[in-house]
C-alpha cells in the first residue's frame, strides 16, 4: 500500500509530504495506482520548480517506494502561497485516487 502523509504547520500550510510503500495494484510496470501517484507527486515537484522557481528539499530512495519533500524556509510570500496552492492541488489529486483505490493508497493530512 502507498502511504502519503502531509505534515502541516500550525497555520494549516503544508511544510512536508512523505510517500512510502508500493500499491501492488498490478504487475510491476503495469500498476496504474503506482503510476498515477508517481505522476502526481513528481509532476507537483517539477511544477513547483518550474512555476515557482523553488526547489523542494527532496529525499528519494533509489529502488523507489520512498519520497519525502520539504518546503524550504524563508520563501517570499507570493512564492510560498504558490507552492502551497500546488501542494494542495496535489493533495486533492491524491484524495481522488484514494476514493477509487482505497485498498492501495492511504492519505493522512494533519497539523
Amino acid at each position: 500500500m502507498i502511504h502519503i502523509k502531509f505534515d502541516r504547520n500550525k497555520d494549516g500550510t503544508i511544510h512536508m509530504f512523505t510517500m512510502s510503500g508500493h500499491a501492488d495494484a498490478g504487475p510491476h510496470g503495469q500498476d496504474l495506482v503506482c503510476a498515477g501517484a508517481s505522476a502526481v507527486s513528481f509532476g507537483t515537484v517539477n511544477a513547483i520548480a518550474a512555476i515557482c522557481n523553488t526547489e523542494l528539499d527532496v529525499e528519494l530512495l533509489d529502488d523507489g517506494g520512498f519520497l519525502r519533500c520539504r518546503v524550504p524556509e524563508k520563501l517570499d510570500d507570493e512564492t510560498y502561497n504558490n507552492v502551497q496552492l500546488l501542494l494542495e492541488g496535489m493533495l486533492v489529486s491524491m484524495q481522488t485516487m484514494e476514493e477509487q483505490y482505497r485498498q492501495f493508497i492511504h492519505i493522512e493530512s494533519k497539523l
Side-chain angles (χ1 to χ4, degrees), residues 1-2 23 25 97-106:
M1 177 176 278
I2 297 173
M97 280 192 285
E98 183 184 37
E99 288 174 14
Q100 290 290 317
Y101 302 102
R102 198 167 297 281
Q103 68 271 36
F104 302 114
I105 186 169
H106 174 74

Side-chain angles (χ1 to χ4, degrees), residues 5-26:
K5 182 178 179 187
F6 289 84
D7 292 314
R8 295 181 180 270
N9 297 309
K10 289 183 180 182
D11 66 359
T13 58
I14 297 169
H15 72 88
M16 177 173 61
F17 74 86
T18 306
M19 285 181 53
S20 61
H22 295 279
D24 295 323

